[in-house]
Amino acid sequence: MFSLFYGLWQHVFSKAEFHVLILGVHKAGKTTLLEKVKSIYLKEEGLPHDRIVPTVGLNIGRIEDANVKLVFWDLGGQPGLRTIWEKYYEEAHAVIYVIDSAAASSFEDAKSALEKVLHHEDLQGAPLLIFANKQELPAAVTEEELARHLHLKELDERPYMFQAGSAYDGTGIKAGIDWLVEEMERSKRTEVLMARSETAEKI
Ligand SMILES: Nc1nc2c(ncn2[C@@H]2O[C@H](COP(=O)(O)OP(=O)(O)OP(=O)(O)O)[C@@H](O)[C@H]2O)c(=O)[nH]1
Ligand SMILES: [Mg+2]
């Protein structure tokens, strides 16, 4: 009887946990963004910018807000490392795709890498936040300009948002994550992933 009530209590009161993949080409600012997310939500100092090195493996960040737990997976964006991304797709509830808004020369690469992400069937229906990073730089384009540059046709099929911001000064981060959490909470994909993990727990 106790375990029945405990199970019910857990079901009603435990926080949902969402996995968010942080993707984007090298130097877009993914790891810097993750450090800023941690410093905003955990209210602790993140790594100083000059201590952040190009990612080769996986950086993990965990935060909690009032209703949910979020686990971020930050992967390396160098061309030779992008084949690793798809290993994480199946378990991801959503994607943050980071773009350096001040590096116009990287837009084509960012666009084609993002198109591959969007085409992958393991990420079907995953909400997508495109974070137009480095907005505090004078050369940065706005989120509207970036959307025009990318001109992504596949976007109509899924919930998505362009969010301008900066991993240095933290602008745009909370707004982007609030949107992503709302989308994950009502996403069909979340239902499917939850059902799958409940089935796996029973086996
Ligand atoms: N001006 C400015 N620079 C930034 C910002 N975010 C990151 N950078 C810088 O951009 C460079 C790359 O940042 P990283 O966070 O290492 O980029 P990354 O996307 O994780 O790169 P990989 O791990 O190689 O894929 C570093 O010099 C950062 O300090 C930002 O918001 N503004
Ligand atoms: Mg990195």
Side-chain angles (χ1 to χ4, degrees), residues 22-35 48-50 52-56 59 74-78 81 85 98 100 102 131-137 165-170:
I22 305 179
L23 301 176
V25 303
H26 49 299
K27 298 190 185 156
K30 301 178 289 299
T31 308
T32 311
L33 175 66
L34 176 61
E35 286 302 314
H49 301 148
D50 57 3
I52 296 174
V53 294
T55 308
V56 177
N59 298 311
D74 160 41
L75 292 161
Q78 294 171 62
L81 298 173
W85 293 1
V98 183
D100 179 345
F131 192 75
N133 194 28
K134 309 196 187 182
Q135 285 294 318
E136 87 302 337
L137 291 177
S166 164
Y168 270 11
D169 64 24

